[in-house]
Amino acid sequence: MSQKCRVYSKQDFVGLRNAGRVAAHILDYITQFVQKGVTTLELDRLCYEEILRHNATSATLGYNDYPRSTCISLNHVVCHGIPSERKLINGDILNIDITIILDGWYADTSRMYVVGKAPQKAIELIDVTYNAMMLGIGLVKPGAYIGDIGHAIETYVKSKKFSVVRDYCGHGIGRVFHDEPAVLHFGKPKTGRLLEPGNVFTIEPMINAGDYRTKLLSDGWTAITIDRSLSAQFEHTVGVTEDGCEIFTISPNGWNKPFYEIAK
Ligand code: MF3
Ligand code: CO
Ligand code: CO
């Protein structure tokens, strides 16, 4: 197996940047609708319509028969939650994950959202998960190894007494949805692929409040925590540059992380 990953050009980065901006915009746009009483299916429809208004398409709709334009993962759902008639209630935490295609370029990003006031523990989990993703992104540069990212994330998360999901990982992306490398959110430094300018991939740690193990529901998609503990996730699509990395899916509004109120 080759130790090299696909390399995208400076011109390709323009396409990725444009796709990334639209993907991040969709997550900004949906923020206003994440409220008590709305169903996750309504949120999905709103995303779908906004994606089309930007001349983009959803990469998840029809992907391996996945039925929707977003994944919406509530509370103990780790990832790939299918939007449904479930209404949001006060204290819910949820991840909205979207992958869009613009001019043939894929961008994949997700954030956490909070409905009303959430318990202190849930907020802590969200903060640690966001910090874990950003810590991993901070290590991306030519000459670094994929394993450096996972190791840093795992070490940090363990120090906060949370656990890293091992059944799902980040991935190369660009002209296709899921490509090499696999970006594990745990591991050993100086292992895995060596990064070079032009590599493009996601970092998307899923962090559990309890046990790291997951269980797949009978719908074939929804992954939940084995002990029903809360789970959180953030995801950015990044590209390796000459001296570091570029985050393609930064929020145009600066809403990379949720605002929240803590339940007393
Ligand atoms: N966006 C997810 C990821 O981060 C993949 C979702 S695939 C789907 O890789 F089919 F579940 F939508
Ligand atoms: Co992804
Ligand atoms: Co995603």
Side-chain angles (χ1 to χ4, degrees), residues 185-262:
H185 304 107
F186 57 91
K188 292 193 172 62
K190 296 202 164 45
T191 62
R193 289 168 194 267
L194 187 61
L195 299 180
E196 62 179 313
N199 292 154
V200 177
F201 51 88
T202 71
I203 299 184
E204 50 179 303
M206 285 141 273
I207 308 301
N208 297 347
D211 197 311
Y212 72 91
R213 289 173 297 170
T214 72
K215 177 184 148 179
L216 189 62
L217 296 189
S218 59
D219 61 23
W221 287 105
T222 311
I224 65 169
T225 53
I226 202 158
D227 59 0
R228 307 293 201 273
S229 67
L230 289 178
S231 188
Q233 180 179 25
F234 285 87
E235 175 175 23
H236 273 314
T237 295
V238 305
V240 183
T241 59
E242 296 300 324
D243 58 355
C245 85
E246 174 171 353
I247 305 176
F248 295 124
T249 46
I250 284 289
S251 162
N253 289 357
W255 298 347
N256 294 293
K257 222 181 90 156
F259 306 105
Y260 39 64
E261 288 180 275
I262 296 170

Side-chain angles (χ1 to χ4, degrees), residues 67-96:
R68 300 291 168 201
S69 302
T70 62
C71 295
I72 303 187
S73 302
L74 273 166
N75 300 322
H76 65 286
V77 178
V78 172
C79 63
H80 305 165
I82 304 174
S84 73
E85 297 296 345
R86 161 73 152 77
K87 283 189 166 79
L88 298 182
I89 59 172
N90 184 55
D92 278 340
I93 64 166
L94 58 149
N95 174 276
I96 304 182

Side-chain angles (χ1 to χ4, degrees), residues 97 99 108-109 169-171 173 177-178 202 204 233 235 237:
D97 188 346
T99 310
D108 188 2
T109 184
C169 59
H171 49 92
I173 188 168
F177 193 168
H178 291 116
T202 71
E204 50 179 303
Q233 180 179 25
E235 175 175 23
T237 295

